[in-house]
Amino acid sequence: MRGVILHAPGDVRVGQREDPKIEQPTDAIIRVTASCVCGSDLWPYRGVEPVDRPAPMGHEYVGIVQETGSAVRDIRPGQFVIGSFWASDNTCEICRAGYQSSCVHRVLMGTIGTQAELARIPLADGTLVATPEVPGDDLVPSLLAASDVLGTGWFGAVAAEVQPGRTVVVVGDGAVGLLAILAALQLGAERIIAMSRHESRQKLALEFGATDIVTERGDDGVATVKELTGGLGAHSVIEAVGTQESMLQAIRSARPGGHVGFVGVAHGVELPGEVLFSSAVHLHGGPAPVRRFLPELIELICDRAIEPGRVFDLTLPLDQAADGYRAMDERRAIKTLLRP
Ligand SMILES: [Zn+2]
């Protein structure tokens, strides 16, 4: 089969990979309908994470089940399925508490590489959620968004305790940040302040439900948020970048007693104890347990109540994946959808 392989920083190509096979009785093989490039794929692409050998890429996927292992009970060939970036059994104590991304049997899909024609999905019954029927092609981008960016933004909003009547700040205007705005609106936020400097992203932020846009960063950004919130700061802040600057901005934008949900993959973040101590905020985050939210998100999408697929502003055939990486790296595209 064809699949995306990262050979070295900046050098991503589509090449031949071995067809996946059932390795464990709990596996399924899917034919990938669509995959996409994640902001986190840019970390190794930019050389921020080391690339020591050619690596298959991709951890977001929707597709049709081709084959299942002998122990798979619920998932059947022919179903259209969505899973997330950690395969999980959905039965262990951690999964049952709603933290499937920390499942004791978890498998990272990024090591499998779903930017390909086929993919092996471990722990298929726990990992995959099937739609009631094979959806129309127009729903595919939104269902694919649920695989990671929507589920991650949604977890950010839940971790930040977004509730009706609350004021929410979203730090980060990538796909996750934009969909955290959509999530905050769905969860009843009264006011949603998006921090963004890019016009096309500001526009989408407003369409997804942002009520205010703040273009300043750092001290000025915090000051503007305070101004907009009567000097108090926000009830809920969603951090969707993962840098030192964004994390501190998030903590300092929350009011005492407020909640910060952090879902940007942290790179080089070190929190000063004095800032933490004096902030008096709740911090909760980490790799999003997207599996917890998938059934609800799939229903909202199939009912056409939300359209998270609008974050895909570039769609390419799989063979042109390198162009998709480049466009995201240069911030010409918010998110690239790849069709095998
Ligand atoms: Zn588990």
Side-chain angles (χ1 to χ4, degrees):
M1 67 166 181
R2 290 171 302 121
V4 175
I5 300 164
L6 182 67
H7 293 266
D11 180 11
V12 72
R13 283 176 259 157
V14 173
Q16 281 299 317
R17 290 180 49 199
E18 211 171 307
D19 283 4
K21 291 186 177 55
I22 299 283
E23 294 176 16
Q24 303 289 331
T26 46
D27 287 348
I29 304 295
I30 65 165
R31 178 161 294 279
V32 177
T33 305
S35 183
C36 48
V37 183
C38 184
S40 64
D41 293 333
L42 296 180
W43 293 107
Y45 180 79
R46 289 171 173 160
V48 179
E49 282 172 11
V51 184
D52 37 26
R53 66 181 73 88
M57 296 297 288
H59 54 261
E60 296 152 287
Y61 52 97
V62 296
I64 301 279
V65 179
Q66 299 291 293
E67 191 187 349
T68 56
S70 58
V72 177
R73 298 280 170 265
D74 301 330
I75 294 298
R76 298 182 305 278
Q79 284 180 322
F80 185 95
V81 289
I82 300 133
S84 82
F85 45 91
W86 281 107
S88 55
D89 59 18
N90 211 26
T91 55
C92 78
E93 197 171 329
I94 302 295
C95 282
R96 281 185 282 125
Y99 287 84
Q100 291 91 337
S101 46
S102 301
C103 173
V104 299
H105 296 119
R106 68 182 185 171
V107 180
L108 187 58
M109 293 303 300
T111 60
I112 287 172
T114 60
Q115 292 164 5
E117 291 178 283
L118 299 165
R120 181 178 71 87
I121 313 295
L123 305 166
D125 276 341
T127 305
L128 297 172
V129 177
T131 54
E133 53 200 41
V134 175
D137 209 46
D138 59 323
L139 285 175
V140 165
S142 286
L143 291 165
L144 177 62
S147 177
D148 181 353
V149 281
L150 173 62
T152 297
W154 199 276
F155 173 60
V158 169
E161 302 271 335
V162 174
Q163 288 170 25
R166 296 215 164 161
T167 295
V168 180
V169 166
V170 179
V171 180
D173 61 2
V176 171
L178 291 168
L179 290 173
I181 294 169
L182 179 153
L185 184 68
Q186 289 291 316
L187 294 169
E190 186 174 295
R191 192 164 186 197
I192 304 171
I193 302 167
M195 310 202 73
S196 171
R197 301 180 150 175
H198 303 84
E199 208 174 319
S200 60
R201 295 170 189 233
Q202 291 170 357
K203 191 163 166 280
L204 199 49
L206 292 168
E207 287 171 21
F208 279 152
T211 52
D212 303 81
I213 302 280
V214 171
T215 54
E216 296 94 342
R217 287 186 189 173
D219 290 343
D220 293 345
V222 173
T224 306
V225 167
K226 289 272 165 77
E227 238 168 72
L228 291 170
T229 53
L232 302 177
H235 300 98
S236 300
V237 183
I238 302 157
E239 191 285 326
V241 184
T243 62
Q244 178 78 2
E245 186 190 24
S246 64
M247 192 69 181
L248 289 181
Q249 187 147 311
I251 292 169
R252 294 171 63 211
S253 298
R255 64 176 62 190
H259 294 79
V260 175
F262 56 98
V263 292
V265 181
H267 283 77
V269 176
E270 288 184 28
L271 299 181
E274 317 82 73
V275 173
L276 268 187
F277 187 77
S278 60
S279 70
V281 301
H282 302 75
L283 294 180
H284 181 34
V290 174
R291 177 62 182 82
R292 189 205 308 179
F293 308 108
L294 276 180
E296 181 186 356
L297 299 180
I298 289 169
E299 200 178 322
L300 284 169
I301 292 164
C302 290
D303 289 348
R304 297 179 192 272
I306 57 174
E307 197 186 357
R310 293 174 62 205
V311 294
F312 293 107
D313 52 355
L314 181 62
T315 297
L316 293 172
L318 181 69
D319 288 331
Q320 292 173 34
D323 294 336
Y325 274 76
R326 206 173 303 120
M328 281 178 63
D329 180 41
E330 294 167 3
R331 287 180 75 90
R332 283 185 282 113
I334 298 171
K335 197 162 174 69
T336 307
L337 186 146
L338 298 172
R339 294 267 191 181

